[in-house]
Amino acid sequence: MKRNHILMAALLASSLAANAQVKINVDAANPGIKVSPNLYGIFFEDINHAADGGLYAELISNRSFEDSDTATPTWRTSAAKGAAISTQLVSKALLNSAQGKALQLTLNASPSATASLINEGFWGINSVQGRTYRLSLFAKGSYKGGLKARLVSADGKKVYAETKVEAAIGKKWNKLTAQLTATANDPKAQFELVFDGKGTVTLDVVSLFPPTFKNRPNGLRPDLAQLLYNIRPKFVRFPGGCYVEGQESPENAFHWEKTIGPIEERPGHKNVNWRYRTSDGMGFDEYLQLAEDLNAKPLYVVNVGLWHGGMTPVDSIQPWIDECMNALEYANGPVTSKYGALRAKNGHPEPYNIEYLEIGNENNQPDPALQSDHYYERFKKFKDAVLAKYPNMHLIGNVVAWGDDNPTWDSKESVELLDEHYYRNPAWFAENFRKYDNYNRKGSEIYVGEYAVTQGFGNMGSLDAALGEAVYMMGIENNSDIVTMASYAPIFANLNDRMWAPDMIQFTSDKVFGTPSYYVQNIMANNVGTHVLKVNQTNPYTYGEALVKPAVCRVGMGTWATQASFQDKGYTDADGNALPATLQELPTDVRGDWKVDGGVIKQTSGGESCIRLNPGEITADGYIYKVRARKDSGNEGFLLIFNYVDDKNYCWLNLGGWNNTQHGIEQIVDGAKGQAATVSGKIETGRWYDICLKVKGDSVIASLDGKEIFATKLRANTLPGVFSTATLDQTTGEVILKVANTSSENTTAEINVQGKSISNGKLIRLSAKNGKEENTIDNPTNVHPTESFVTTSKDRVVVEIPANSLNILRLK
């Protein structure tokens, strides 16, 4: 953190107090509930190349040649004039049963005309001057000649590191090792194996590692792991997320027993959910070791026999229960147990001590087709088995994970913790500052396992998004007798393959930055306190809610993964009168395959976000838009576009969305989509529907076949205001006051601490010139915490509270 020194003498404080806009009284004499010792944790899922190509330090992409059945992605060959090299994937006489393929090279080279096999890494290998890299690979064949390993520039003209690989290549598999030390910096370097002889060589499990976090073998990228360490998380939830469940086949789920031991004995699996294959180099041991290295508790999420697109019947899930129990024995069992002995063999004799187990991931949706078949029965079977052997295990159950702001546990089966997930816009999180104030204290505790602003966050993640999350976290702290655990999601994204946004830590091969959300997680987690204090805030200023309806907009129709037909009935003003004609005369096809046939508008593409805009711009405050629509084929229903400004700012009425299970009104703000309202519903194929959409200011009424299905109001992306909470840290004797200003107005706070005498203090602040400010890979600290010292009078301090800021005062 940047550190400044600000002196606020008592005289200055006294003169400013008269003009203070916000008065905050903190009762430090009567500490309230204890703050949960499990605030806050982190949630890791292999998404956006968070593991392979990210936190897992392996530099070779597709190291075991398993990423394709017919090609060798990320690998290529090169030969000097007079030399030749050819490659072939082979599937016989492999290294072991875990490997499905190896790469056979046929070589005709010499010391004066070499041939090479080259790997590009994960969008480049970071060559760092003076850094030593550890190489290992398995080889066999009938080959006479030498072998060198290099780090080279992408064009192959510069050599940054080179070493001979000293070992004979014979008929049996042999492990070859070497070390390379780089002499130059290049984030786009590539790895090269250089051959100067003749014959055939079969290769497998080609691995290159830089130095790792805490020097762990098969370990983690230090700069990424250090950012996690800096949060000081209380727990690590792993390995997902949808990654736990897998997709298409149960083989694509996470199976812990296939992710342990030497890397050559790990088959890897298809990460279908996030569209790439994973080596499972970051496996069960590595997750558990990460938690241990972060001084955090491991929280393991298990599969209950459900995956995206299929299931094991509830009466046949014993193998999944056995897999769970074996995992717990591996993590917790003594070395005299079967799996405890295996853990010791793999280098960790001491138990990892899993204390928290989540039974399923997002497996309790209302629709059984959404990975939610007989969840409560599955939960009970797992619960009975786990508690019979581990009676002190903390079990976590699933509740509805999307489309519901107040999910409940609808079973008589007791459960210690419930996992709530929320992905919303900044305004929703600020509005839910007091969400947990009235939760039933006699029921289950709450674990907010996944939450983040995913709507209206800008590009990489804005300060507005982070401040909304901060206000929500402040509300969690105030209620940490019931909300005892929380973890932001997701953590990581390689900027070369960002499938989900935003993510709190983003990176390339050589650079990394934290979003404002990362810094909120950091400074909130490092300033928690031990007991909640009562705060009374007086704010004489009110904040008007921003209007959403644009002054000029368009309307239209659309589809998502569906083919549909439309009959446009036109639009009028809010009273049914024709709107004035505009200069635009033709419809605009934003995306999709649109054709007009006899007055019927057809969209035949199966793509997402297919949009056709009507001619004409609407400037009226209200309008009525009517359409007839028919689903012809596909997964979902159809869309009515309204309030369209550009391709990053508009709204739509989504009929038959979410795999044809719900209707919704969604807002797209700066390219990020959020739900204004949802309701259960589906659209039949081949049937015509009459749709009417009425917009008046920010109010929206939608009817389907004459029946009203929505009467709601669009909301602004942010909720302006000043929010404050406080805790007492009994270990340091400090009052920790948090003040978030989500408005665009600067203010001043007069802070009065009752029951304690203040000697001095420190101010930690996250702010920027406006709420849309972000960090980027080239400007990583544009939004970054600063620290200041404050001196005060006995029980009072006056401090400026900038617009769009989070302020944490530690008052001694």
Side-chain angles (χ1 to χ4, degrees), residues 270-458:
K270 294 180 180 178
N271 183 0
V272 182
N273 303 78
W274 305 119
R275 305 180 193 177
Y276 55 89
R277 198 176 190 282
T278 175
S279 69
D280 282 325
M282 186 167 180
F284 197 50
D285 269 301
E286 287 73 28
Y287 288 120
L288 292 165
Q289 186 65 64
L290 169 64
E292 185 176 282
D293 287 343
L294 297 178
N295 301 312
K297 298 174 182 178
L299 190 166
Y300 182 44
V301 186
V302 296
N303 190 305
V304 294
L306 298 168
W307 58 92
H308 293 233
M311 71 182 78
T312 300
V314 68
D315 58 1
S316 302
I317 63 170
Q318 189 58 45
W320 295 96
I321 296 173
D322 293 342
E323 184 173 311
C324 168
M325 298 304 295
N326 294 341
L328 293 178
E329 183 175 291
Y330 184 90
N332 293 6
V335 294
T336 53
S337 65
K338 176 182 176 180
Y339 289 102
L342 182 57
R343 180 192 68 241
K345 178 184 176 183
N346 289 335
H348 200 283
E350 302 81 9
Y352 287 111
N353 295 318
I354 290 178
E355 299 178 31
Y356 290 84
L357 183 77
E358 182 164 359
I359 300 174
N361 172 73
E362 297 186 340
N363 293 143
N364 196 1
Q365 294 296 119
D367 186 347
L370 300 176
Q371 301 87 241
S372 301
D373 174 76
H374 290 85
Y375 175 73
Y376 292 121
E377 295 173 52
R378 294 171 189 267
F379 176 86
K380 178 171 173 50
K381 288 176 180 288
F382 273 80
K383 173 185 173 181
D384 290 347
V386 171
L387 294 184
K389 187 172 182 179
Y390 302 100
N392 295 321
M393 186 70 65
H394 302 286
L395 299 183
I396 304 169
N398 297 172
V399 291
V400 173
W402 61 87
D404 190 338
D405 287 348
N406 297 287
T408 56
W409 179 259
D410 299 319
S411 171
K412 294 181 180 179
E413 190 67 33
S414 63
V415 57
E416 182 178 352
L417 291 123
L418 297 175
D419 182 8
E420 297 184 354
H421 293 182
Y422 298 111
Y423 295 109
R424 306 288 193 272
N425 72 354
W428 185 93
F429 283 103
E431 285 174 339
N432 281 273
F433 174 57
R434 300 195 179 279
K435 173 178 175 62
Y436 299 103
D437 287 7
N438 298 313
Y439 261 49
N440 179 11
R441 263 53 183 178
K442 296 181 180 179
S444 304
E445 295 176 3
I446 303 301
Y447 165 39
V448 187
E450 300 181 30
Y451 68 95
V453 167
T454 56
Q455 303 154 17
F457 59 84

Side-chain angles (χ1 to χ4, degrees), residues 60-231:
I60 302 298
S61 175
N62 189 21
R63 69 183 177 192
S64 295
F65 309 103
E66 306 288 345
D67 285 10
S68 170
D69 292 332
T70 58
T72 53
T74 72
W75 292 95
R76 62 183 176 87
T77 59
S78 177
K81 187 176 181 180
I85 179 173
S86 62
T87 64
Q88 179 185 1
L89 287 171
V90 296
S91 56
K92 295 181 179 179
L94 298 175
L95 179 62
N96 54 45
S97 61
Q99 299 301 316
K101 290 180 283 293
L103 185 67
Q104 185 179 85
L105 312 178
T106 301
L107 297 148
N108 186 359
S110 67
S112 60
T114 60
S116 298
L117 179 68
I118 302 164
N119 186 270
E120 66 187 35
F122 294 93
W123 301 279
I125 293 172
N126 188 26
S127 172
V128 178
Q129 184 175 6
R131 178 176 290 176
T132 298
Y133 302 80
R134 294 180 291 107
L135 169 67
S136 68
L137 59 96
F138 289 84
K140 70 173 184 176
S142 176
Y143 173 74
K144 291 185 179 180
L147 174 60
K148 291 181 180 179
R150 291 175 174 169
L151 286 178
V152 298
S153 59
D155 60 9
K157 294 180 180 180
K158 298 177 182 178
V159 177
Y160 305 132
E162 180 177 280
T163 188
K164 288 184 178 181
V165 181
E166 303 283 1
I169 298 176
K171 293 182 178 180
K172 294 184 177 181
W173 286 103
N174 189 20
K175 185 175 183 179
L176 315 182
T177 61
Q179 291 188 343
L180 301 85
T181 301
T183 58
N185 299 323
D186 184 353
K188 295 291 187 179
Q190 299 188 352
F191 173 74
E192 182 180 23
L193 288 173
V194 184
F195 299 86
D196 63 5
K198 296 178 173 62
T200 61
V201 178
T202 304
L203 299 173
D204 209 351
V205 196
V206 182
S207 174
L208 186 70
F209 266 84
T212 61
F213 184 64
K214 293 188 178 289
N215 297 313
R216 299 292 185 193
N218 197 50
L220 309 180
R221 179 171 154 175
D223 56 345
L224 301 185
Q226 186 64 46
L227 287 177
L228 299 183
Y229 185 87
N230 292 347
I231 295 176

Side-chain angles (χ1 to χ4, degrees), residues 321 577 795:
I321 296 173
N577 302 312
D795 60 359

